[in-house]
């Protein structure tokens, strides 16, 4: 272990900063704003947050935590449960912190993930007192090499006053060279991002840090918490097949080739399962340009379907973690991890013409999508990068099963209770019932497509009845709605446990 | 006149295509998809659409019309009223077509204006049979010089099968050289847009057209319909003052300098009036990078406050039209007109760090903004470029008076009835009551700022009562809402003519 540390800690002047997690955690003060590494449970600091959680159990210490995206249990479960978090952003996924957000114990700011770097630059979160960043190594020339995610770590290291590094010796050394760190300058003074192909490298293998900011180095052996996605099922397979057929039609129409365009696939089980569907399809030489590489991407690389995959994090189930991290050399020239400012940058999403596939919590008959709120009030996860991608993609596709709660809930409703993706942003909706291609359509043209192609048969009649009643009452207006009835399916749900009409 | 035409029609091989508006209008067939020039009543074709309107009165001819943005009365009033339009996009503003959209006689697809060029490239609107484009000249080397707007004309000329040119000899020749036409290539094969400063020129002075596509040249002497904006009043002046004070605070915080950042200001009276407020302020060397240059911008150039202004159209009141177009030489090195794909491009908005000021129809207590729909159903104008700008701007600001209909309607409500700009996109809300700076805040942190700073005193108590009842009923969740009451202010309005609680 000593030899490993010796080797991983190339910048020798930092050797004196090595200390225990407890000692490092003592550097943090109540009220601090802390920027942390980590994106979708990957590459997050673990042992210092756990030490902080222990402190928070016994003393009044609450901090603001801004990260790349969702973290593993150390922060988003234990530190949160210990009362150590006042405010959290820009994305969460853990059930622990979700509960505390919805009980009002933790404030949560839900933000587009490509916007954070600008927010750090402008000091929107306040002065960042500490960065806590997981690294696989610190090179002789002062490059911090991130682990399984890059996220916002470069801009956090740049803007934070102090840096605590968790040097994680469990992550394989073969991660060195995987990352591609490019950070745009100030707005109004920056150059175009020089990427014209998603497989290009733009920057360096690590984050250039100011060694004088480093106040602690803590050795960690904690692995990333594995991804919690559930395996594909019959319905996600059906959705994947509908999507593949849609792509085949696009090829026939001359809008895509057999290599498609760079693919982005959102965080979570459904998006992963849909991507899995490519394994048996005829598309080849695929490129993935996403925010997270989940199991499906590595399966597709292994199957020779995907020739290159870029993202800002790698989030794998336990099984895939073992397979990938012990064979990382095999993937070294096929994957790269970029800052989320780059992976999610509107400039690149538009230029490269991405196909974006994200999960909807619910959609409405006019094509608005809710990704975040249950019944308009309770936070589920957050918008994440779905808005960055859907707004600027060549094709903005949303996938969802047509029903939830064993059939009591329809995922298509008259009016969504929270809008994360407006009718102007949603190109295609896919459920296990079928596909609705909404491009170029007026709201009233979308209604029959969405109801007939995407809604579960149990709810079709109910949605038609609402739409027809709205047209009857207010005429054939742009977007017929009866406001007093727009949410009646939720009122049914609250009263009876089912959205169905009684 | 003959001499003028001779001079303006440089490409002599097209002289044989000169014909009357009636003859040109006969080229169009029922069911055609027609792309037209024009953006916010500027630079639109006029005489051919009027001839088409005459035809539509007497025969069954309906076309789909896709433009830059809203057009003058020839298309959006007369042709529409004659039943000549089946479907319209991507933006409207005329009361005539608005009524027909809301009666179901015209279909309307409301789209982000920066997205249209990609939609043309992909053929989303179907095969474009005809382009009808207003020009001030056609040069010897085949460049079509647009008039007072560029809009989508370059991509329409590129993708349309046939082109009809309205050569408008009333527009001054001094427009030649004002335009800067740069068109990105196909997605996945294009270069970065090489603009790092909003005052840069990237392209040519006109649109390169394929002469063999030109099927008609029609001489026109019709001026642009003047802009219909109303002058600033005491309340818009108050809003401007609040905004200027907000900028002063940003300078104190080190986030802006006295030159601010490139300014975008939306279409319409309120945004124009707010911009007018800069005339007496201390900010200098301002740059405007917008989609439309309204009266205020020219007043600010004249006052020496604005050093350069770029947009995709010039839309002026009658008074300013006279002043500007008879002295255009004076502005030649201070303004430029670009394709809307460039003026509204997310790549440039983010890189240049724009300050974006757009008008809200209504906002809610959590910061979502409705720009398009009255009571969730009736189209007002359309989203236009507001989404392109607000999403990607350094500062996304929305302005609205706090009330409408003489005080019967509050512009701030518990839940907006249509979301065009999500809570993730709205940085700042300004009314004549004050400013709410929402950056980095959780929804519940936004509520007191919006209610206390922006809501009209007549409605504050009512909004607090709603919020408190929601917290009471469902607890301190992420975004407290009572769905059965979320729209009760509209129900009051429908029943009593006022949103106020009875």
């Amino acid at each position: 272990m000593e030899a490993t540390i010796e080797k991983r800690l190339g910048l020798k002047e930092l050797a004196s900063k090595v200390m225990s997690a407890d000692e490092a955690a003592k550097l943090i003060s109540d009220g601090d704003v802390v920027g942390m590494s980590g994106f979708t449970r990957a590459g997050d600091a673990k042992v210092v947050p756990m030490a902080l959680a222990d402190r928070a159990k016994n003393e009044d210490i609450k901090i603001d935590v801004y990260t790349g995206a969702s973290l593993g249990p150390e922060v988003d479960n234990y530190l949160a449960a210990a009362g150590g978090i006042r405010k959290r952003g820009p994305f969460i996924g853990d059930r622990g912190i979700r509960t505390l957000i919805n009980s009002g114990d933790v404030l949560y700011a839900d933000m587009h993930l490509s916007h954070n770097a600008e927010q750090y630059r402008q000091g929107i979160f306040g002065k960042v007192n500490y960065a806590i960043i997981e690294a696989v190594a610190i090179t002789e020339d002062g490059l911090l090499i991130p682990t399984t995610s890059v996220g916002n770590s470069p801009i956090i290291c740049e803007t934070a006053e102090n840096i605590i590094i968790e040097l994680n010796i469990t992550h394989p050394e073969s991660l060195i060279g995987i990352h591609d760190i490019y950070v745009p300058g100030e707005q109004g003074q920056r150059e175009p991002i020089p990427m014209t192909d998603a497989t290009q490298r733009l920057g360096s293998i690590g984050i250039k840090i100011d060694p004088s900011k480093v106040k602690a180095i803590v050795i960690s052996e904690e692995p990333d918490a594995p991804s919690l996605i559930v395996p594909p099922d019959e319905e996600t397979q059906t959705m994947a097949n509908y999507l593949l057929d849609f792509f085949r039609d696009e090829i026939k129409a001359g809008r895509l080739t057999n290599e498609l365009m760079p693919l982005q696939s959102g965080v979570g089980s459904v998006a992963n399962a849909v991507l899995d569907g490519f394994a048996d399809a005829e598309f080849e030489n695929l490129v993935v340009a996403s925010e997270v590489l989940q199991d499906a991407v590595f399966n597709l690389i292994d199957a020779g379907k995907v020739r290159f995959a870029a993202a800002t994090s790698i989030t794998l189930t336990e099984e895939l973690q073992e397979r990938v991290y012990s064979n990382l050399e095999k993937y070294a020239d096929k994957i790269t991890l970029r800052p989320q400012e780059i992976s999610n940058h509107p400039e690149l999403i538009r230029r490269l013409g991405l196909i974006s596939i994200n999960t909807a919590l619910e959609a409405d008959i006019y094509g608005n999508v809710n990704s975040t709120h249950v019944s308009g009030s309770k936070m589920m996860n957050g918008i994440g990068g779905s808005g960055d991608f859907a707004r600027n993609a060549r094709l903005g596709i949303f996938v969802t099963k047509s029903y939830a709660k064993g059939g009591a809930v329809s995922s298509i409703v008259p009016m969504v209770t929270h809008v994360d993706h407006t009718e102007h942003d949603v190109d295609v909706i896919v459920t296990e019932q079928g596909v609705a291609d909404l491009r170029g359509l007026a709201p009233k043209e979308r209604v029959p497509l969405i109801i007939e192609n995407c809604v579960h048969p149990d709810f079709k009649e109910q949605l038609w009845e609402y739409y027809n009643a709205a047209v009857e009452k207010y005429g054939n207006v742009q977007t017929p709605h009866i406001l007093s009835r727009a949410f009646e399916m939720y009122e049914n749900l609250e009263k009876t446990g089912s959205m169905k009409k009684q």
Side-chain angles (χ1 to χ4, degrees), chain A:
Chain A
M1 178 171 160
E2 284 303 322
T4 307
I5 296 168
E6 173 85 16
K7 202 168 149 204
R8 299 268 188 113
L9 188 47
L11 190 65
K12 295 305 166 200
E13 65 181 275
L14 292 182
S16 65
K17 303 290 182 189
V18 174
M19 63 182 77
S20 73
D22 286 338
E23 286 172 305
K26 281 194 192 116
L27 297 171
I28 309 290
S29 305
D30 183 42
D32 273 0
V33 175
V34 180
M36 293 195 196
S37 65
F39 194 108
T40 53
R41 299 168 76 87
D44 46 350
K46 301 165 188 82
V47 294
V48 178
M50 281 305 282
L52 254 180
D54 283 340
R55 268 187 72 191
K57 279 181 203 155
N58 302 309
E59 59 177 297
D60 280 345
I61 177 168
K62 266 189 199 299
I63 60 173
D64 292 2
V65 177
Y66 296 101
T67 58
S70 53
L71 301 188
E74 295 81 3
V75 170
D76 282 347
N77 193 11
Y78 301 118
L79 179 58
I85 302 182
R86 186 191 77 92
K87 190 167 171 182
R88 181 79 174 87
F91 184 76
I92 57 102
D94 194 287
R95 183 184 295 218
I97 196 159
R98 182 190 301 144
T99 304
L100 293 167
I101 287 167
N102 287 320
S103 64
D105 293 294
V106 173
L107 284 166
Y108 172 57
D110 189 29
M111 299 176 279
H112 296 298
L113 300 184
S114 85
H115 287 196
N116 307 145
E118 311 293 4
Q119 291 162 324
Y120 279 108
R121 285 188 187 97
Q122 292 188 48
I124 298 301
F125 309 131
K127 191 164 67 178
V128 179
N129 305 100
Y130 270 89
I132 310 181
I133 309 288
E134 191 183 70
V136 69
I138 302 154
T139 66
E140 274 175 45
D141 48 350
L143 289 180
L144 181 157
I145 312 293
T147 60
T148 47
S149 71
V150 179
N152 280 318
S153 297
I155 194 72
I156 292 172
C157 288
E158 188 178 314
T159 54
E161 295 188 301
N162 303 288
I163 301 174
I164 295 171
I165 299 173
E166 279 199 21
L167 190 62
N168 188 316
I169 57 174
T170 292
H171 285 301
E173 213 174 327
S174 47
L175 277 168
I176 301 172
I178 290 283
H179 312 89
D180 178 30
I181 310 298
Y182 174 93
V183 182
E186 290 292 325
Q187 283 183 318
Q189 299 166 35
R190 65 175 63 147
E191 294 299 311
I193 302 172
M195 190 189 295
T196 54
D197 183 312
T199 68
Q200 264 173 297
R201 287 189 67 94
L202 302 180
S204 62
I205 62 162
I207 302 166
K208 186 78 193 163
I209 52 167
D210 173 355
S212 74
K213 284 187 182 178
V214 178
K215 297 303 180 314
I217 294 184
V218 178
I219 308 304
S220 160
E221 297 182 83
E222 291 299 317
D224 284 345
S227 147
L228 300 174
I229 55 168
V230 298
D233 58 27
E234 198 180 323
E235 286 173 329
T236 57
Q237 185 59 49
T238 305
M239 288 158 69
N241 289 340
Y242 278 121
L243 188 62
L244 296 171
D245 280 341
F246 171 78
F247 290 141
R248 289 178 187 119
D249 288 342
E250 287 292 290
I251 293 173
K252 275 185 212 139
R255 283 196 279 262
L256 288 175
T257 70
N258 195 48
E259 299 189 0
L260 304 178
M261 296 290 272
L263 293 167
Q264 177 266 333
S265 168
V267 180
S269 300
V270 175
N272 181 69
V274 167
L275 208 54
D276 240 11
F278 280 84
D280 302 318
E282 69 277 24
F283 310 107
E284 285 182 327
N285 283 317
L286 300 173
V287 169
V288 169
S290 199
E291 54 184 10
V292 50
L293 304 181
Q294 299 188 118
D295 289 16
V297 172
F298 288 89
N299 291 334
L300 291 173
I301 292 176
D302 290 349
K305 293 289 185 184
V306 164
R307 67 181 169 95
F308 194 87
T312 193
S313 94
I314 301 174
T315 303
L316 301 172
T317 57
E318 208 155 359
E319 183 201 335
L320 265 278
Q321 277 191 353
E322 218 176 285
R323 207 172 90 199
V324 170
Y325 294 134
S326 57
N327 291 290
L328 206 54
E329 305 73 23
K330 194 174 114 183
Y331 300 100
D333 62 343
K334 292 194 177 66
I335 62 174
T336 194
L337 295 182
R338 300 172 175 145
Q340 69 195 71
E341 182 176 16
I342 301 300
S343 62
N344 290 29
H345 205 294
E347 173 172 343
L348 301 176
I349 295 166
R350 182 75 64 94
R351 184 185 304 150
L352 302 175
L354 264 55
I355 296 173
S356 156
I357 307 164
N358 289 287
T359 308
L361 201 57
E362 59 178 6
D364 67 31
I365 57 172
Y366 296 111
N368 301 281
V369 164
N370 173 9
S371 299
T372 57
H373 282 70
V374 176
S375 293
S377 293
K378 283 196 180 178
M379 177 51 51
M380 188 65 198
N381 290 333
I383 188 167
S386 58
D388 295 322
F389 289 104
R391 169 68 64 89
N392 293 296
R394 183 179 173 95
L395 268 172
I397 300 166
F398 284 90
V399 295
T400 176
K401 291 192 186 184
S402 72
Y403 67 92
K405 307 274 176 204
V409 165
S410 173
S411 305
I412 316 281
V413 293
M415 181 188 266
V416 290
T417 55
H418 188 271
V419 177
D420 295 290
H421 309 287
T422 73
E423 52 148 334
H424 319 285
D425 297 314
V426 178
D427 291 329
V428 178
I429 296 175
V430 182
T431 72
E432 86 290 351
Q433 298 294 319
V435 175
D437 178 359
L438 310 176
R439 292 174 295 174
L441 299 185
K444 280 176 299 208
E445 293 178 294
R446 297 175 205 145
V447 174
L449 283 182
I450 294 175
I451 297 183
E452 290 304 326
N453 297 4
C454 295
V455 170
H456 191 276
D458 286 1
F459 290 100
K460 277 188 190 180
E461 196 185 318
Q462 208 170 333
L463 289 168
W464 271 125
E465 190 277 327
Y466 173 83
Y467 175 76
N468 291 331
V471 173
E472 172 95 3
K473 183 158 185 186
Y474 294 110
N476 206 358
V477 291
Q478 173 76 358
T479 307
H481 268 305
I482 301 174
L483 294 178
S484 61
R485 290 190 52 195
F487 296 138
E488 68 184 3
M489 285 171 75
Y490 302 91
E491 292 162 40
N492 295 345
L493 181 66
E494 193 172 271
K495 280 184 207 136
T496 71
S498 164
M499 282 189 169
K500 284 176 192 152
K501 199 169 183 172
Q502 298 309 301

